[in-house]
């Protein structure tokens, strides 16, 4: 029991510190609010007009399902988990990673908890307020009021966080071998954006693109956008299973890359 408490002491301290800083310096939440209004808000207005021109139905999907799917994508992005790649690159280029390696903490664990904590306050506040506003404006699809929705939403949301952190941490770890990871980051990030259902809801994907979104880690990291659709009630366990598979695989890849990175630092006298 003491070991468990000790292992959670650092993450809790990191989260408390970053949330406190976010409350005292609300600049980030203002920027995030403007960003989600500019991107998600305008996109929803455009889709509302497109659905209206199509008699309310496109590819068997109505606007209310597409709107909530898009909203969940942009809400998830408020956590800014993708930023871990560039922060790790900065640590490596500045030499700060060598200092952190010498500390009695796991660098990967520290950096991942830091990333979650840095975006948590904005995510919670904006998501709650925006969800209430969206619900009042367009209502809730019936799939969001059944008993299975909230538990499975939370489950796939947490899996999405872990999977995203592992995926972008792998990109960040490449900085030990590649001086500038930005090209790799841009490729991975754009694929996630496309397959995650940012500007085109998953329900509107063509068959091949939908399969790619389902069976790759890029789309799996954004399965939270699938939770509003009717199919989620029958295949949620399959999609969560896919997420868990990629979490284990990418987690192992990140772990062994980290071990090689430590060896590289040691050999170079770090």
């Amino acid at each position: 029991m003491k070991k468990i408490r000790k292992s959670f002491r650092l993450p809790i301290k990191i989260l408390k510190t970053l949330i406190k800083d976010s409350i005292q310096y609300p600049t980030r939440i203002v920027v995030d609010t403007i960003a989600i209004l500019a991107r998600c808000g305008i996109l929803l207005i455009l889709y509302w007009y497109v659905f209206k021109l199509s008699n309310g139905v496109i590819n068997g999907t109505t606007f209310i399902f597409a709107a909530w799917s898009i909203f969940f994508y942009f809400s998830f992005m408020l956590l800014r988990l993708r930023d871990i790649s560039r922060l790790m690159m900065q640590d490596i280029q500045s030499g700060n990673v060598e200092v952190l390696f010498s500390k009695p903490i796991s660098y990967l664990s520290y950096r991942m908890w830091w990333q979650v904590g840095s975006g948590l306050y904005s995510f919670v506040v904006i998501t709650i307020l925006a969800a209430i506003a969206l619900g009042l404006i367009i209502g809730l699809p019936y799939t969001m009021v059944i008993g299975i929705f909230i538990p499975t939403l939370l489950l796939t949301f947490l899996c999405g966080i872990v999977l995203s952190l592992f995926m972008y941490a792998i990109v960040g770890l490449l900085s030990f071998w590649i001086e500038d990871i930005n090209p790799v980051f841009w490729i991975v990030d754009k694929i996630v954006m496309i397959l995650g259902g940012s500007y085109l809801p998953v329900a509107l994907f063509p068959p091949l693109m939908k399969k790619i979104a389902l069976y790759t880690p890029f789309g799996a990291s954004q399965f939270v956008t699938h939770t509003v659709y009717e199919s989620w009630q029958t295949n949620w366990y399959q999609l969560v299973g896919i997420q868990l598979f990629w979490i284990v695989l990418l987690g192992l890849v990140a772990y062994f890359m980290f071990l090689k990175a430590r060896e590289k630092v040691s050999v170079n006298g770090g």
Side-chain angles (χ1 to χ4, degrees):
M1 184 63 71
K2 290 183 179 179
K3 290 183 178 180
I4 295 176
R5 290 178 180 176
K6 188 175 181 180
S7 63
F8 279 99
R9 189 177 301 166
L10 178 62
I12 292 174
K13 185 176 181 180
I14 291 174
L15 293 178
K16 284 183 177 180
T17 301
L18 291 174
I19 291 174
K20 185 178 179 180
D21 288 344
S22 298
I23 295 173
Q24 292 180 345
Y25 305 98
T27 304
R28 182 165 182 173
I29 195 172
V30 174
V31 173
D32 287 339
T33 301
I34 295 173
I36 197 170
L37 288 175
R39 295 176 182 176
C40 185
I42 294 175
L43 189 63
L44 292 182
I45 293 173
L46 290 175
Y47 268 104
W48 172 82
Y49 185 70
V50 171
F51 272 91
K52 184 178 180 180
L53 293 178
S54 303
N55 296 320
V57 180
I58 300 177
N59 199 24
T61 301
T62 57
F63 172 70
I64 193 171
F65 290 101
W68 279 100
S69 178
I70 292 172
F71 169 74
F72 281 146
Y73 172 87
F74 282 99
S75 174
F76 188 81
M77 286 296 102
L78 288 171
L79 286 169
R80 295 191 179 184
L81 303 177
R82 57 206 285 271
D83 290 353
I84 190 175
S85 296
R86 287 171 173 168
L87 288 176
M88 292 176 70
M89 181 176 70
Q90 292 173 10
D91 286 341
I92 295 166
Q93 291 179 344
S94 66
N96 187 44
V97 69
E98 298 177 11
V99 177
L100 292 172
F101 274 1
S102 65
K103 302 295 182 181
I105 57 174
S106 168
Y107 171 73
L108 278 180
S109 177
Y110 162 78
R111 182 48 73 196
M112 288 180 181
W113 280 109
W114 183 277
Q115 197 58 53
V116 172
S118 64
L120 188 59
Y121 179 71
S122 291
F123 165 77
V124 172
V125 174
I126 297 175
T127 297
I128 291 175
L129 295 178
I132 293 174
L134 188 61
L136 292 174
I137 295 170
I138 69 171
L140 297 175
Y142 77 92
T143 54
M144 290 179 62
V145 295
I146 59 177
I148 198 175
F149 176 73
I150 295 298
T152 56
L153 172 68
L154 293 176
L155 178 60
T156 193
F157 170 74
L158 292 175
C159 288
I161 289 177
V162 177
L163 180 53
S164 295
L165 287 172
F166 281 149
M167 183 167 55
Y168 284 107
I170 289 172
V171 176
L173 287 168
L174 288 175
S175 297
F176 282 100
W177 296 273
I178 304 174
E179 184 175 352
D180 185 5
I181 62 161
N182 280 316
V184 179
F185 171 80
W186 289 330
I187 292 172
V188 172
D189 198 49
K190 297 309 178 187
I191 295 175
V192 170
M193 183 181 296
I194 294 170
L195 298 181
S198 58
Y199 297 106
L200 181 67
V202 178
L204 305 184
F205 283 5
L208 178 59
M209 188 175 175
K210 186 175 290 187
K211 287 184 179 180
I212 296 175
L214 286 176
Y215 296 110
T216 61
F218 311 107
S221 64
Q222 306 298 319
F223 276 172
V224 67
T225 62
H226 293 239
T227 57
V228 300
Y229 298 116
E230 296 174 336
S231 59
W232 180 255
Q233 301 173 47
T234 56
N235 68 358
W236 66 267
Y237 59 92
Q238 296 174 338
L239 300 188
V240 172
I242 292 173
Q243 284 184 313
L244 293 175
F245 167 79
W246 284 115
I247 285 173
V248 173
L249 182 59
L250 295 190
L252 289 173
V253 171
Y255 175 72
F256 285 111
M257 285 182 68
F258 179 67
L259 292 181
K260 290 295 183 181
R262 287 189 69 107
E263 292 178 5
K264 185 178 179 65
V265 171
S266 299
V267 169
N268 291 335

